[in-house]
Amino acid sequence: MTILNGASFCVRRAAITTIIGPNGAGKSTVFKTIFGLLRARTGQIRFDGNDITNAGPRRLLEAGICYVPQGRNIFPELSVRHNLELGAVAAKRGLDVAARIEAAMDRFPMLRRKSNNQASTLSGGEQKLLEIARGLLLDPKLVLIDEPSIGLSPLMVRETFDILQDLRARGVSVLMVEQNAKSALGISDDGIVLELGRTRMTGAAAALLNDPKVGQLFLGGASGAEPAGATP
Amino acid sequence: MQSFIQLFVSGLATGAIYALAAVGFTLIWQTSQTINFAQGEFVMLPAFFVLAAMDIFGLAFPAACFVGLAASMLVLGVLFKRGIVDFMLPHGVLPLVISTIALSLLLKESVKTFYSSQAQPFPPLTSDIDINILGAIVSVQSVFVLGAAIAAIAALHLFLGHTGVGRQMQATAQNPAVAVLLGIPTKRMIMYTFVINAGLVGLASILISPIYLAKFTNGDSLGLAAFVAAIVGGFNQVRGAIVGGLVLGVFENLSAAYLSSSYRGAFPMILLVLVILFRPQGLLGRVEERTV
């Protein structure tokens, strides 16, 4: 089955780009295709000028891309520390993994506090932090993050978004899919509207937020002039 | 009391063999949803590899044991994975189960046809003497079997928990989709579990054959015992399989001695039914979450 057909967009360096669109638009499929989990039959994906179409996860990790999928992505019966260490499987030879883990624990003190606990004992928000910390272990240049806010408390959502903004400040590019489109666009530089596997609109996040058409279709009508569902 | 200790130790020794087979059984279940109904035959066969290495190639017993273990890892590990599991697993768990049942018949009948239908004597691993522990007479053989099995499981435990590759294997078992995203070579990790399983059953075979003799039907009872041990302990836990194996071995021995020896074969089933009724996840198992 063809899911994506006419999905074309760029992600700028050191910017947060959010993909929005209705259910079934193919948002998660975009990520899976970029990360080589699904094959692209045609088209091309380029990263830093290199063709990475249909490259496997290992090569993408080495190139500096990490992918944090939606839902729970930990190894429940391993300790927090061991979960974190597995983020360095694709590390280049000679990388000081222990130092990276120390740095990650300095950045997220919760991980140090609970480093010997089984990962399954963490709360949903803590698990998400662990996943993000694990993804950042190899200093990626591009972070693909799918629905980071799902199932998290508002406080944790804010913390997650803070991390993404912090990444941007350090020159990392972030590509995010987020159900909670309004707050996601709020912290984003660019936005992409995806519908039925096709890019409908791209542009500055602020412009999309204020676009009445986008507002009606995807943002619950809040920023549009008419209530949602009024247009056929 | 003396006879109790004696029975207890020999039960532990038998149980340790069950545990080896059960641990391998749960390992390959965890990483690749393979329920291996040929596991009993997997314990039966390596002894014949050893005997063949001695008879056909004229090797000394210790060398033949190494050859037998290596052949076991190749045939029951790599070939089993590549030749059967890889083909059948994409069609679902049930077709694979049926394939392993077919494999068990094939292995059994092949040994009968190409080697012998008679029980073959197998060289002893230790001298046939007894030692005195707390006034009880315990055979050195039992103690050796128990020690070797404990050493093998301890080594496995260290490998899984304290090496990078071991943890990558655990990660593959616990969350294969995410393991792939982190660049873990999950296919290779799954292959390792099959090779480890083959090594464990190979060891179990070499340990048990001096006691039971090498016979093509040995797998019937051993396969059942490994299956029961895995369920009693908790299908999804390696340590559950160890406990399940030991509990089963001791329970079987004691109940045969004190209750009824003619019902020896029934007691494991009673234990199985009780566990399924009152603790379906097994003694140490965790309840598996299922998405419906």
Side-chain angles (χ1 to χ4, degrees):
Chain A
M1 197 166 73
T2 304
I3 309 277
L4 300 176
N5 188 5
S8 180
F9 56 87
C10 297
V11 176
R12 282 192 293 142
R13 203 183 296 269
I16 300 178
T17 307
T18 292
I19 305 179
I20 61 170
N23 284 336
K27 301 183 296 275
S28 297
T29 307
V30 167
F31 279 4
K32 287 180 185 154
T33 310
I34 296 176
F35 213 67
L37 303 174
L38 296 172
R39 284 195 77 76
R41 287 195 208 101
T42 58
Q44 207 184 33
I45 304 164
R46 297 177 73 83
F47 177 67
D48 256 358
N50 301 316
D51 184 4
I52 54 158
T53 320
N54 296 331
R58 182 89 191 200
R59 221 193 104 198
L60 296 167
L61 288 162
E62 283 167 1
I65 303 179
C66 90
Y67 174 30
V68 182
Q70 58 174 297
R72 303 281 161 85
N73 304 298
I74 52 151
F75 303 109
E77 287 170 46
L78 292 179
S79 70
V80 168
R81 175 183 286 275
H82 290 158
N83 263 275
L84 204 52
E85 279 174 9
L86 285 166
V89 166
K92 292 196 182 72
R93 212 173 279 277
L95 184 90
D96 189 350
V97 174
R100 289 290 173 90
I101 287 170
E102 280 307 302
M105 288 183 168
D106 287 341
R107 193 163 171 203
F108 304 106
M110 177 278 296
L111 296 178
R112 187 189 301 285
R113 238 179 13 254
K114 305 199 169 176
S115 66
N116 293 322
N117 297 15
Q118 254 199 4
S120 60
T121 61
L122 299 183
S123 73
E126 290 170 336
Q127 293 187 10
K128 204 72 203 173
L129 279 188
L130 171 59
E131 282 171 38
I132 294 174
R134 187 178 63 191
L136 298 180
L137 209 61
L138 299 182
D139 270 343
K141 293 184 227 163
L142 169 65
V143 175
L144 308 173
I145 186 160
D146 196 351
E147 303 279 7
S149 79
I150 230 164
L152 299 189
S153 68
L155 197 71
M156 277 307 307
V157 173
R158 203 170 317 141
E159 186 164 353
T160 310
F161 282 6
D162 284 347
I163 295 170
L164 299 181
Q165 285 169 291
D166 177 48
L167 284 173
R168 169 174 60 191
R170 298 158 175 232
V172 176
S173 316
V174 176
L175 179 61
M176 165 164 58
V177 163
E178 182 54 64
Q179 219 36 260
N180 189 349
K182 215 188 300 176
S183 42
L185 283 176
I187 63 156
S188 298
D189 304 281
D190 301 315
I192 296 160
V193 179
L194 200 68
E195 201 179 23
L196 296 170
R198 180 177 288 273
T199 16
R200 284 284 300 272
M201 269 181 239
T202 56
L208 289 180
L209 260 178
N210 295 321
D211 187 317
K213 216 160 66 190
V214 175
Q216 279 167 6
L217 285 172
F218 310 115
L219 302 177
S223 46
E226 291 163 44
T231 42
Chain B
M1 188 61 196
Q2 280 102 331
S3 73
F4 176 81
I5 293 176
Q6 221 160 309
L7 289 166
F8 191 81
V9 172
S10 66
L12 278 182
T14 321
I17 307 247
Y18 296 162
L20 287 176
V23 164
F25 195 83
T26 54
L27 270 184
I28 61 174
W29 159 254
Q30 283 178 19
T31 52
S32 66
Q33 285 69 57
T34 303
I35 303 177
N36 182 19
F37 275 96
Q39 188 78 347
E41 279 63 37
F42 275 35
V43 181
M44 175 274 292
L45 191 62
F48 286 94
F49 288 152
V50 174
L51 289 176
M54 290 165 72
D55 292 349
I56 299 170
F57 301 108
L59 293 178
F61 179 59
C65 284
F66 279 107
V67 170
L69 274 179
S72 167
M73 285 175 172
L74 184 69
V75 175
L76 303 177
V78 179
L79 283 184
F80 174 53
K81 167 76 166 55
R82 289 255 161 86
I84 295 177
V85 177
D86 285 353
F87 284 110
M88 297 311 291
L89 197 56
H91 301 288
V93 169
L94 203 55
L96 181 54
V97 163
I98 294 166
S99 314
T100 64
I101 294 172
L103 179 65
S104 76
L105 293 174
L106 178 73
L107 294 178
K108 201 155 84 174
E109 294 304 318
S110 301
V111 168
K112 187 169 125 190
T113 308
F114 296 112
Y115 205 91
S116 170
S117 60
Q118 302 299 312
Q120 302 291 312
F122 197 85
L125 297 160
T126 58
S127 52
D128 190 18
I129 49 166
D130 294 334
I131 48 169
N132 193 319
I133 298 177
L134 301 170
I137 307 297
V138 175
S139 78
V140 171
Q141 182 124 304
S142 298
V143 175
F144 180 80
V145 165
L146 189 57
I150 289 173
I153 289 172
L156 176 66
H157 183 78
L158 284 176
F159 172 70
L160 288 178
H162 298 271
T163 67
V165 173
R167 281 200 292 271
Q168 290 183 37
M169 286 173 65
Q170 288 195 62
T172 303
Q174 291 174 26
N175 201 338
V178 174
V180 167
L181 299 183
L182 299 178
I184 294 173
T186 50
K187 288 204 180 93
R188 200 188 323 152
M189 295 304 138
I190 293 172
M191 178 58 93
Y192 289 166
T193 59
F194 279 82
V195 173
I196 289 173
N197 176 49
L200 292 174
V201 292
L203 178 66
S205 189
I206 291 170
L207 290 176
I208 203 164
S209 296
I211 306 169
Y212 281 13
L213 305 180
K215 190 157 194 242
F216 72 101
T217 50
N218 277 1
D220 297 346
S221 57
L222 286 168
L224 190 64
F227 193 61
V228 172
I231 292 175
V232 165
F235 216 73
N236 45 29
Q237 293 282 340
V238 166
R239 57 176 182 276
I242 299 167
V243 170
L246 296 176
V247 166
L248 183 65
V250 170
F251 183 75
E252 201 181 61
N253 234 15
L254 293 181
S255 55
Y258 292 119
L259 296 173
S260 159
S261 61
S262 49
Y263 281 88
R264 188 184 184 100
F267 290 115
M269 294 299 123
I270 294 169
L271 183 65
L272 177 66
V273 169
L274 289 176
V275 167
I276 287 176
L277 276 179
F278 295 107
R279 206 176 151 76
Q281 71 270 40
L283 296 176
L284 298 183
R286 77 190 127 74
V287 182
E288 280 190 28
E289 291 170 28
R290 282 187 200 283
T291 35
V292 182

